[in-house]
Amino acid sequence: MEQKSNAVDRRRFIKQASLATLASGALLSWSTPPLQPSGGSLNDINIVGPKDGYSPQVGTLVSMMNWMRYVILRPVQGMSTKDLDYLVDDKAKTIGAMLYHLAATERFYQVDTFENRAWDDWDAADAEEFGVAMGLGDAARASIKGNPLEFYMEKLDRVREHSLIELAKRDDDWLLSVDQDWPWGPTNNYCKWFHVVEHESNHNGQFKFIKSRIS
């Protein structure tokens, strides 16, 4: 019963975060109260550490996921479809495609770590929805366009909701368990999920650069 209640609370937080993002037409300053983070509250966005409903290390990871998600949404608030489709040149990525890519990355790490499946062992539905976005490149430039911000937010929120629900079921031993066969070499689940966080940080820089070039 408590687990069901936690899931409902997380769903409410995610929905509120989306509404707050889409309602604002301008960037927030650091002095402005932050967006409602997924799975957290307005009061603890800058507190990295254990969180209620999670084991200590898992909660610390979730706090980093919340903070980074808030940061990457700041540059895209109020963007039009035209802005989201803007290409700096014919080899560049659009902000819309990269938002989709972030949802795809998180989804595929869910499959790997929560379902204990090999990389590229995706269900047909996941491959169809997220395969192009994961690869980016020419295929993404050709097909990921013409969508409003709500389109990308739905995917980011839906995937994140599943992450939070699944992470609440797991403990620190799971987070620290090591995959000996990972391409990077021995890698634990903590490193894989930290990569999901820093991957968003990487694209955040691209968002800001592209936004500075939009006339």
Side-chain angles (χ1 to χ4, degrees), residues 31-212:
S31 62
T32 306
L35 298 176
Q36 182 94 342
S38 304
S41 74
L42 290 174
N43 297 323
D44 67 357
I45 187 67
N46 294 319
I47 307 300
V48 174
K51 295 181 68 66
D52 290 343
Y54 302 92
S55 64
Q57 291 286 349
V58 173
T60 298
L61 169 66
V62 167
S63 70
M64 290 188 283
M65 292 168 65
N66 288 345
W67 192 90
M68 195 66 244
R69 177 57 56 86
Y70 161 61
V71 168
I72 69 158
L73 293 180
R74 288 166 58 88
V76 306
Q77 291 184 90
M79 276 196 165
S80 65
T81 299
K82 182 180 178 182
D83 293 339
L84 293 165
D85 289 348
Y86 179 79
L87 280 167
V88 173
D89 57 47
D90 60 4
K91 296 296 183 182
K93 306 173 183 71
T94 67
I95 289 177
M98 286 188 283
L99 288 169
Y100 202 155
H101 174 73
L102 293 177
T105 300
E106 185 165 343
R107 174 57 191 148
F108 289 151
Y109 272 88
Q110 289 173 353
V111 174
D112 178 79
T113 60
F114 298 151
E115 301 177 25
N116 197 30
R117 290 162 61 180
W119 196 259
D120 287 336
D121 180 20
W122 322 128
D123 291 338
D126 282 332
E128 181 177 359
E129 182 176 8
F130 294 113
V132 171
M134 188 66 191
L136 291 174
D138 290 336
R141 278 187 286 273
S143 63
I144 303 177
K145 56 187 176 181
N147 305 305
L149 183 57
E150 292 93 334
F151 173 87
Y152 303 107
M153 287 299 301
E154 186 279 329
K155 294 182 184 299
L156 286 163
D157 289 348
R158 171 162 45 92
V159 172
R160 178 55 54 90
E161 178 183 353
H162 183 62
S163 293
L164 296 175
I165 290 170
E166 291 299 316
L167 287 168
K169 299 175 183 178
R170 287 159 173 81
D171 59 18
D172 290 355
D173 288 340
W174 172 85
L175 192 64
L176 299 174
S177 62
V178 177
D179 179 352
Q180 297 289 346
D181 299 320
W182 193 246
W184 305 337
T187 304
N188 63 10
N189 286 327
Y190 209 152
C191 182
K192 291 180 182 183
W193 278 93
F194 182 74
H195 171 63
V196 173
V197 177
E198 68 84 21
H199 191 69
E200 293 193 353
S201 177
N202 174 61
H203 286 293
N204 180 54
Q206 292 176 292
F207 293 172
K208 292 176 179 177
F209 170 78
I210 294 169
K211 185 169 184 175
S212 73

